[in-house]
C-alpha cells in the first residue's frame, strides 16, 4: 500500500488554495457541495485537488496540509473515499463511523450527507459513480429491473483482492493521465477502464444484490447471441461495451457472456478482439511500411496497449505484426 502515498492525477490540477471559499467551490464543482466547518479560524488550511473524468466516472485526489473537517450536502451519486495519507473518521448520515486508514476506505450512498474529520495531514483518492449508471450496470448483469436502490456495506477492507484490484485500476488511470494522447483519449480505452472499475466494485464490495450477482446467469438462446455476433461483425470499430451489446439484444450482460461461452467458446469482448485483429491483419497485409505504421493501425482498431496487442497478434497468427507489414514490402520488391 506504500505506493498510494504519492500524489495522483498530478497532471490534472484543479485547485491549490489556502482560501476556504475557493477550496469549497472547487470541490463543489467536481463532486458535490461541501463546507469546511471551523476551517476559517484555523489559519493552517490548505487544499490541493486533482481530478479528471474517465467516461462517466470522476476520479479525484485531494490533500490537506493540516487536520480538516469536511461536511457534504446529501450526495446524488455513489462516492468511494480511499485514504492515501493520514487517518480520518468518516460517517454518512446517522450511520456508524468508518475509521479510514490506508487499509480501510469508505463507500457512501446517495441521499445522505457525509462528514470526514482527519487527525492531521490527510490525503485521499475519491471516485464518484453516477447513481443511474451503477443501477443500469446491475440491471444488465441481472437481466431485470431493480426493486430497491443499490446499498453497499460502508466499510471497505482494502487488503482484499477485490479492493486491491480497484486500487490497481486507479493506478493505471493515474499512470495514463500523465501522458498526452494514449489510453484516456481513446473512447475504447476509457470505456473499458470505466467498466472494469464499476464491475470490480460490484463484485468486490458486499451490497444488497451481491447474492443475486453470485447466482447462475439466466440462459441465453441462440438468436440473441447470433444478433450480437452480427452487430459486432457489422461494426467492429464501434467502442462496444458488454452492457451496450447486451442491451442491444435484450439480454443481461451475464446471460450474453454465458451464451457466447456455450455457443462460441469465447466471450463477447474476446470475439470482438479477434474481429479487430482480423481487420488489423487485413490492413497490414495490403499496406506499405512507407505509408503506415503498426502503431497507427492498432490504434485505429482500438488496441491502446501495444505490448498486449503484439502478444495477442502473435498468438493468433504466429508472427509479429511488423513481420506481416514487412512481408508486403518484400513481395513488392
Amino acid at each position: 500500500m506504500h505506493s498510494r502515498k504519492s500524489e495522483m492525477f498530478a497532471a490534472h490540477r484543479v485547485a491549490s488554495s489556502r482560501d476556504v471559499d475557493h477550496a469549497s467551490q472547487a470541490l463543489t464543482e467536481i463532486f458535490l457541495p461541501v463546507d469546511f466547518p471551523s476551517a476559517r479560524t484555523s489559519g493552517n488550511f490548505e487544499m490541493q485537488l486533482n481530478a479528471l473524468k474517465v467516461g462517466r466516472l470522476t476520479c479525484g485526489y485531494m490533500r490537506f496540509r493540516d487536520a480538516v473537517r469536511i461536511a457534504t450536502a446529501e450526495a446524488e451519486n455513489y462516492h468511494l473515499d480511499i485514504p492515501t495519507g493520514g487517518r480520518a473518521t468518516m460517517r454518512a448520515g446517522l450511520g456508524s463511523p468508518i475509521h479510514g486508514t490506508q487499509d480501510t476506505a469508505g463507500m457512501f450512498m446517495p441521499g445522505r450527507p457525509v462528514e470526514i474529520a482527519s487527525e492531521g495531514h490527510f490525503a485521499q483518492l475519491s471516485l464518484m459513480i453516477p447513481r443511474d449508471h451503477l443501477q443500469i450496470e446491475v440491471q444488465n448483469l441481472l437481466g431485470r429491473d431493480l426493486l430497491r436502490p443499490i446499498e453497499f456495506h460502508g466499510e471497505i477492507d482494502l487488503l482484499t483482492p477485490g479492493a486491491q484490484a480497484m486500487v490497481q485500476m486507479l493506478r493505471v488511470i493515474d499512470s495514463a493521465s500523465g501522458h498526452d494522447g494514449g489510453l484516456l483519449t481513446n473512447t475504447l480505452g476509457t470505456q473499458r477502464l470505466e467498466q472494469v472499475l464499476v464491475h470490480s466494485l460490484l463484485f468486490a464490495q458486499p451490497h444488497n444484490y451481491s447474492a443475486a450477482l453470485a447466482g447462475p446467469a439466466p440462459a441465453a438462446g441462440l438468436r440473441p447471441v447470433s444478433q450480437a455476433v452480427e452487430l459486432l461483425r457489422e461494426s467492429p470499430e464501434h467502442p462496444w461495451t458488454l452492457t451496450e451489446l447486451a442491451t442491444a439484444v435484450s439480454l443481461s450482460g451475464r446471460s450474453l457472456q454465458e451464451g457466447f461461452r456455450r455457443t462460441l467458446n469465447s466471450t463477447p469482448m474476446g470475439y470482438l478482439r479477434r474481429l479487430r485483429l482480423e481487420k488489423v491483419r487485413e490492413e497490414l497485409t495490403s499496406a506499405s511500411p512507407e505509408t503506415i505504421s503498426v502503431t497507427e493501425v492498432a490504434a485505429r482498431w482500438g488496441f491502446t496497449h501495444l505490448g498486449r496487442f503484439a502478444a495477442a497478434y502473435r498468438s493468433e497468427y504466429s508472427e509479429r505484426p511488423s513481420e506481416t507489414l514487412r512481408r508486403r514490402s518484400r513481395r513488392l520488391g
Side-chain angles (χ1 to χ4, degrees):
M1 295 291 180
H2 175 74
S3 61
R4 296 212 315 273
K5 293 181 180 179
S6 58
E7 177 183 357
M8 296 185 71
F9 317 131
H12 296 265
R13 178 70 53 81
V14 174
S16 181
S17 179
R18 296 184 178 183
D19 182 86
V20 174
D21 290 332
H22 180 221
S24 175
Q25 182 64 27
L27 279 171
T28 297
E29 291 175 356
I30 298 298
F31 290 107
L32 77 170
V34 303
D35 192 14
F36 300 101
S38 306
R40 299 177 196 282
T41 61
S42 166
N44 291 321
F45 179 86
E46 182 178 345
M47 184 199 77
Q48 176 185 315
L49 174 64
N50 306 332
L52 74 158
K53 297 281 286 187
V54 179
R56 286 155 288 188
L57 312 184
T58 302
C59 300
Y61 169 87
M62 62 189 75
R63 182 169 61 196
F64 298 91
R65 185 176 68 176
D66 205 352
V68 67
R69 182 174 161 223
I70 306 171
T72 80
E74 290 187 359
E76 294 184 2
N77 301 304
Y78 290 86
H79 292 260
L80 170 62
D81 291 334
I82 305 174
T84 62
R87 306 168 66 91
T89 299
M90 303 180 282
R91 185 196 301 266
L94 300 176
S96 300
I98 297 170
H99 301 290
T101 68
Q102 290 177 63
D103 294 333
T104 305
M107 184 74 204
F108 303 107
M109 270 55 72
R112 299 165 205 171
V114 174
E115 284 199 6
I116 300 175
S118 73
E119 299 176 5
H121 170 86
F122 179 66
Q124 72 172 28
L125 285 171
S126 294
L127 177 66
M128 183 171 70
I129 306 172
R131 174 176 50 188
D132 292 345
H133 176 49
L134 197 63
Q135 178 170 316
I136 289 170
E137 285 292 334
V138 175
Q139 287 178 169
N140 282 321
L141 287 168
L142 293 177
R144 60 179 171 85
D145 291 338
L146 304 188
L147 299 178
R148 293 175 294 142
I150 304 163
E151 184 81 14
F152 287 91
H153 179 65
E155 184 173 293
I156 299 178
D157 181 357
L158 294 174
L159 299 180
T160 63
Q164 289 181 351
M166 285 191 298
V167 173
Q168 184 59 40
M169 287 307 303
L170 289 169
R171 290 175 182 156
V172 170
I173 293 170
D174 174 45
S175 177
S177 71
H179 306 285
D180 293 331
L183 189 59
L184 295 182
T185 59
N186 182 282
T187 303
L188 290 169
T190 56
Q191 288 188 346
R192 179 60 176 159
L193 288 172
E194 176 186 37
Q195 188 174 62
V196 170
L197 265 176
V198 170
H199 284 197
S200 296
L201 174 65
L202 287 172
F203 287 99
Q205 184 63 8
H207 53 84
N208 54 332
Y209 291 98
S210 291
L213 289 177
L222 291 178
R223 180 165 177 75
V225 173
S226 298
Q227 290 175 331
V229 167
E230 184 177 348
L231 287 172
L232 294 178
R233 296 196 70 86
E234 285 179 352
S235 305
E237 76 285 355
H238 181 76
W240 291 104
T241 65
L242 176 62
T243 296
E244 181 184 10
L245 186 62
T247 300
V249 298
S250 302
L251 281 180
S252 72
R254 289 197 304 154
S255 293
L256 188 61
Q257 293 264 36
E258 178 61 18
F260 266 73
R261 185 194 65 77
R262 286 189 291 105
T263 59
L264 298 171
N265 194 31
S266 180
T267 64
M269 295 302 101
Y271 185 84
L272 177 59
R273 183 173 62 251
R274 288 198 297 274
L275 286 179
R276 289 173 175 165
L277 285 172
E278 290 177 9
K279 294 298 183 181
V280 170
R281 187 170 179 81
E282 288 176 7
E283 283 202 40
L284 295 180
T285 301
S286 60
S288 167
E290 288 75 27
T291 60
I292 206 168
S293 70
V294 169
T295 300
E296 179 184 351
V297 176
R300 180 156 49 246
W301 291 103
F303 295 102
T304 55
H305 191 293
L306 290 179
R308 286 196 289 267
F309 158 72
Y313 188 96
R314 187 167 188 176
S315 175
E316 190 74 17
Y317 301 113
S318 300
E319 67 177 5
R320 293 189 295 270
S322 58
E323 292 174 332
T324 304
L325 186 59
R326 286 200 299 270
R327 191 169 61 251
R328 150 80 175 178
S329 181
R330 290 196 297 270
R331 287 201 307 269
L332 292 177

